[in-house]
Amino acid sequence: MGATYATVTIKNPADRARAWAGEFLVDTGCHDTFVPRRRLEAIGIEPEGAETYELADGSAVELDVAVARIEAMGRFGGLNVVFGDDHAEPLLGVIALETLGVEIDPRNECLRLLPAKRAVTPRRVRRRERGG
């Protein structure tokens, strides 16, 4: 399977007019979404904390994180974003894929909208009554 890219917009949740759009490498081995620090800071997103991440070589690093709004393929959601190096390639992780309700189409090397987002097991979901 080759590389899959997606056009994604990251927005400041406190001011959605402040946004950055870019091409993200879809990385199903990556939990969170990594965005170059300079892009996040340019739209007014500042670190809110730090998390420890394991890199591909097995080493652990502590990286800044914040909450952002993400938009792609006509869908949106809120999620943690990781402040990557200023010139690092943006990575779209699996949490973003689930948040947006999309999956990878490996044959066509693209993302595909799911007909419905996945939820918890049906017995734990209380359906909202319609009407009255």
Side-chain angles (χ1 to χ4, degrees):
M1 182 171 98
T4 299
Y5 287 86
T7 301
V8 175
T9 300
I10 302 294
K11 292 187 175 184
N12 182 326
D15 181 0
R16 289 190 226 160
R18 298 184 74 182
W20 174 72
E23 289 295 306
F24 283 64
L25 174 63
V26 179
D27 186 349
T28 58
C30 187
H31 187 260
D32 287 327
T33 293
F34 285 69
V35 182
R37 176 178 293 277
R38 65 189 173 103
R39 301 298 189 182
L40 292 172
E41 290 176 348
I43 62 172
I45 297 178
E46 297 295 329
E48 297 180 45
E51 296 286 340
T52 302
Y53 289 89
E54 183 179 335
L55 302 179
D57 67 3
S59 63
V61 295
E62 191 169 280
L63 299 170
D64 291 333
V65 296
V67 174
R69 179 182 169 102
I70 185 170
E71 297 179 2
M73 300 179 68
R75 295 199 175 157
F76 70 92
L79 53 83
N80 283 352
V81 290
V82 180
F83 288 70
D85 292 337
D86 278 345
H87 299 287
E89 181 170 37
L91 300 176
L92 190 66
V94 294
I95 298 300
L97 297 177
E98 291 178 1
T99 297
L100 295 169
V102 298
E103 65 184 358
I104 293 182
D105 176 350
R107 174 169 287 156
N108 296 308
E109 296 178 358
C110 66
L111 295 180
R112 176 177 54 216
L113 291 173
L114 292 169
K117 290 186 177 184
R118 294 185 178 109
V120 293
T121 58
R123 65 183 165 176
R124 302 188 87 180
V125 174
R126 183 175 287 159
R127 295 181 188 262
R128 195 175 351 165
E129 295 292 326
R130 295 188 185 238

